[in-house]
Amino acid sequence: QGCAPGRNSREAELRSARRTEAQAFSTRFEMHPYGQGYPGQPGFGDQSQQMQPLMQSQMPQPGSMAGGGQQPMSSPFGAAGGAGGVRSNPFGAPGAAPPTAPFGGASAPPTGPFGGPPGAAAGGCGGPPPPQGRQGPPGDSYGAPPSMGSPYPGQQENIQQPQGQVNPFANASGGGAPGGARPGGFYPADSGMGGHGGMGAMPGMGGQGQDQTALIKELELASSPAHFVRSTLSRPPSSASVKQKCSIPLGIVLQPLAPLPPEMEEVPSVNFASVGTIVRCKSCRTYVNPFVHWESNGRRWRCNLCGESQTTTDSYVNSLDETGKRVDRYQRHELHKGAVEYIAPGEYMVRPPQPPVFMFVIDVSYTAVATGMLDTVVSSIKEAIQSGQIPGGSRAQIGVITFDTSLHFYNLNSNLSQPQMLVVSDLEDLFLPLPDDILVPISESESAIMNLLDSLSTIFRETKVNESCMGSAVKGAFMAMKHIGGKLLVFGANIPSVGDLSLKSTRDNPRLLGTDREVELLRPVNNGYKDLGADLTRAQISVEMFLAPQQYIDLASISPLAKFTGGDVRYYPTFHIQHSGLKLKTELMHVLTRYMGWEAVMRVRLSRGWTITKFYGHLFIRGQDLLVVPNCHSDQTFAIAFDMEENVTPDPILCVQSALLYTNSDGERRIRVHTWAGMTSQNYNDIIGSVDVQATTAMMAHIALAKSLEATLPEGRNKLQSQCQQIVQAYNMAPTVEALQFLPLYIMGMLKSAAFRPTNDIPADLRTYIWMRLETLSVSQLAAYFYPRMMALHNLPDNIGVPDEAGRITLPDMLNLTSESMSQDGMYLLEDGEVMLLWIGRAVDPGLLSALFGVPSFEQMDSLQAEAIIGTRGDPLSTKVMNILRQVRAERPVPFMQLKIVRCGEPAEPRFFASLIEDRTLGLQSSYTEFLTRMGYRPQTQNPPGGQQQQQAGAGVLLAASACPRPPSAAPSEEPAGQSVDFGMPRVEGLRSHLPSSSQRRRRCRANFASSP
């Protein structure tokens, strides 16, 4: 297209209309305050209710819809379909035959940033994708920036603008052509906002601080909710020079299928069948979202990521209101909600939808039988089937394979009176002993499946074989299910010592623990399991591992099998059914019944000027940038690090969009799309003040884990300490920024945690498991691991531990993690998302022991028996404590948290006190005060001249976090009745009179940072 005539006059019109748009914005409804909308915070809940004032007061009448439609865009991630019709292969070339592999294929890549098909070479987890910025051809200029005033408050606000011009949104002319001004989504065509020429401010901004605040609120409201997407910064830097001043890593944490918080509405489904095709950008394949820019009275729209202007499909056209937004935006979920789910048409499928398939590969060696692992697994599978909770209904299929030093396949044909066992002992030349009936529908063969599960314990009761061919068993299961894909659940009790991919227990070397060479034990001995994982991924098979060994199993070498197939590792050291059976059973039931997406692939797209630098999580990068997750579930979390592109000025609003294409358990192909937007800034205080402490903690943990595995553990710790020093220095410069008060506390928690501390008490298998777990945790779970929650149970007020009118349980106040918060006559519950520890002092009230455990004195307590008795005696206090434990488990549903009783003086006591991170601990012999001093914290008396007034505003807040905390009785809770204290942020309470009150600090925690739903 050539430049449209009269461009200069239209630019003048656009500039003059800014005042008109400012007036339009002033009449809009009052958004909820910035920082709300997080789980557990005021304003959190049904977004439709939050939108109601606007919908009632300003909802325009929908315009007429023109008929007709475009040719469907066939590729979910590639270029637009050609004129020849719908593609049969969404990842290949137009008209090409479907590839043999699920992600094979393809012709020359299209021009869009994500249009290219997966490459033939196998990728890997965590590798950097190619640059994602828009790569235009030579001479593809966006035009010179218009000479406008600064969009930031207080800078050149008195710029005079032409008067008497028309509303730019009433302009019926077409969108700009290449070489002309290119306004992005959410802004008009002309502005002084930085970025590519013409990428301007939001309508009505005009450099006014009030309108900029309104824009920020509107961006927040339209973005995907915080339980799906959380960014480390809600106000990213707008230039490389400002970014260098910031000490915060740039990135987002994404949980695309996250469970919904209470009272939150379901993610709306969007069906474009009436339109003819899902509306997407022809250049970069971005899905239409609330931040695109509409032109020509709705007949054209401009992509908010790449800036491409394109014609609106005739059947999707609608008129615009006075603010340049579509009048029907509140009737279309995709135009006002950042989280939507599209119903994918047929062109998004390369084969019929995959049914839910569960293949159980179970160790039946002597250890598995003797410890009760086999009985636990069998009873859990039976319960899941009988309860009808396994998703998929009549479509769901199940298969069972057992192994020790040979493989045992089972014929589950419904016509057989008893299942048939077929043994394959030749592990060098594996084969399937029968072509069918290894995988069978549950609805047809439930009787055969239940008969087999009932007989397994009897068949192997007298076994003496205590070796494992796990590698061969996984390959045998791969052969049985590669034609269909599904979930492969592996249960092991011994190190794989025979068959393919066998390992040696002699690799374990405890002398290396706590040294610089420890990382040698944390790396795989070879790439055998990683390569097998790549093969499984191509067949759409995901691996979940449940490992319950009694000794070293070389988890570092086995775990890539789960990591690179999008699965998880669950580790139960020294397992026995009496103390760990309930945990294994509960977690297996959760894996079988949670919400799942099958044969899933995902892409993440960014605005111009930004590029993804790293992916973190359990996934496989196929080709260059296609994230393959054969089974994406509700617990799956990914972290994406990004940065500015060199020599490219970023757009003034950073937009991030993720698209997860998957098949649900009902056989429907869906596309879960999350779009997040944040306004960039040149103001250092604005950027630092927008830090999401927990999301930043998660991103720093991922970076440090990757550094530790790539180099050494000391280098990973040095990375954290260097980051902390920069944050403390930033706080010295900006002491009023509250977010910087808490990041050093979380970083100290990382350094003292079992993930990073330089001690020799953490076996290599356990450290590997912790790393694997942290790679997939949600933000709130990960934050809880590094800063656990401690509560007193011996002095519960009347309103604590009892349900309110809404059935919610109010929890006790959260205590500082220091022994000075405790006393010998108390009982303290500590939870970190993995386990609950109940510490009991020697001088505890005997009446309390009698009410909870039925024993008259401390000396007569038995910790193991007490764990089973607590909450069962019917005493009011016992009921209160049980309600508290249930509420904690409800807030931390994954994994199942066991309760362990720790009496004062018992050998398990160091495990409890190692979590009191504000004291000197085994991992780091520094209290919080000493740690801050080492990191460069500068108290008020050491402030340089000229900075005293600024320091007064925030003086001593960091130091207050390390001061001796008051006893809980001295600081009564000011929480509203029926509302749990936010445990996502540590409570900072000091004794200095010039500090903010404890109630003010609690409100700040709730206003800025999210807690677990």
Side-chain angles (χ1 to χ4, degrees), residues 478-515:
F478 173 43
M479 297 170 64
M481 60 190 305
K482 64 182 179 180
H483 67 286
I484 190 171
K487 185 178 285 292
L488 176 57
L489 298 99
V490 180
F491 303 87
N494 290 296
I495 187 172
S497 55
V498 296
D500 287 340
L501 304 177
S502 60
L503 302 170
K504 296 182 179 180
S505 58
T506 55
R507 183 178 182 236
D508 189 23
N509 187 355
R511 290 178 297 178
L512 299 183
L513 299 179
T515 70

Side-chain angles (χ1 to χ4, degrees), residues 125-157:
C125 179
Q132 295 191 351
R134 186 180 184 275
Q135 304 294 328
D140 186 3
S141 171
Y142 292 104
S147 56
M148 295 287 291
S150 170
Y152 304 103
Q155 299 181 13
Q156 302 179 14
E157 294 183 358

Side-chain angles (χ1 to χ4, degrees), residues 126 134 143 225 334 449 479 547 563 567 591 595 622 654 753 757 774 841 888 934 973:
R134 186 180 184 275
E334 72 276 9
I449 296 170
M479 297 170 64
L547 303 177
K563 179 175 182 176
V591 168
Y595 186 80
R622 185 155 178 84
L654 168 62
S753 71
R757 71 174 184 241
L774 293 178
V888 171
R934 285 177 48 197
S973 172

Side-chain angles (χ1 to χ4, degrees), residues 282-354:
K282 295 180 180 179
S283 176
C284 69
R285 309 301 291 138
T286 294
Y287 293 80
V288 67
N289 60 78
F291 310 109
V292 302
H293 178 69
W294 297 95
E295 304 169 332
S296 304
N297 202 28
R299 290 194 294 272
R300 296 185 65 82
W301 64 281
R302 192 178 298 279
C303 177
N304 56 306
L305 266 64
C306 72
E308 184 73 16
S309 178
Q310 50 219 293
T311 303
T312 307
T313 302
D314 290 343
S315 56
Y316 198 65
V317 170
N318 210 309
S319 57
L320 309 181
D321 62 15
E322 69 280 359
T323 66
K325 302 293 185 64
R326 285 185 45 137
V327 298
D328 67 338
R329 61 186 178 277
Y330 295 115
Q331 284 79 51
R332 291 193 174 276
H333 296 295
E334 72 276 9
L335 298 183
H336 75 275
K337 290 182 179 293
V340 295
E341 186 160 273
Y342 294 95
I343 299 175
E347 59 263 28
Y348 286 77
M349 305 178 191
V350 294
R351 63 175 186 176
Q354 174 185 322

Side-chain angles (χ1 to χ4, degrees), residues 38-41 230 692-698 742-743 745-746 778-791 811-815 817 831 891-892 917 975 980-988 1001-1002 1004-1013:
Y38 287 103
Q41 307 307 326
R230 291 178 69 170
D692 182 328
V693 173
Q694 292 185 354
T696 303
T697 300
F742 302 109
L743 277 172
L745 191 59
Y746 275 113
S778 66
V779 172
S780 59
Q781 287 276 96
L782 190 142
Y785 182 77
F786 294 129
Y787 194 94
R789 170 170 53 167
M790 184 169 69
M791 299 170 283
L811 297 179
D813 284 343
M814 179 179 175
L815 304 178
L817 292 179
E831 63 91 9
E891 293 171 351
R892 311 276 197 216
I917 64 170
E975 293 296 324
S980 298
V981 177
D982 185 339
F983 54 83
M985 252 341 287
R987 187 83 42 75
V988 216
R1001 285 188 290 273
R1002 284 195 293 270
R1004 290 172 183 174
C1005 292
R1006 290 195 299 271
N1008 289 284
F1009 311 115
S1011 66
S1012 176

Side-chain angles (χ1 to χ4, degrees), residues 364-366 460-467:
V364 290
S365 63
Y366 172 79
F460 298 101
R461 180 179 300 163
E462 304 299 328
T463 184
K464 301 299 180 184
V465 178
N466 202 28
E467 289 189 284

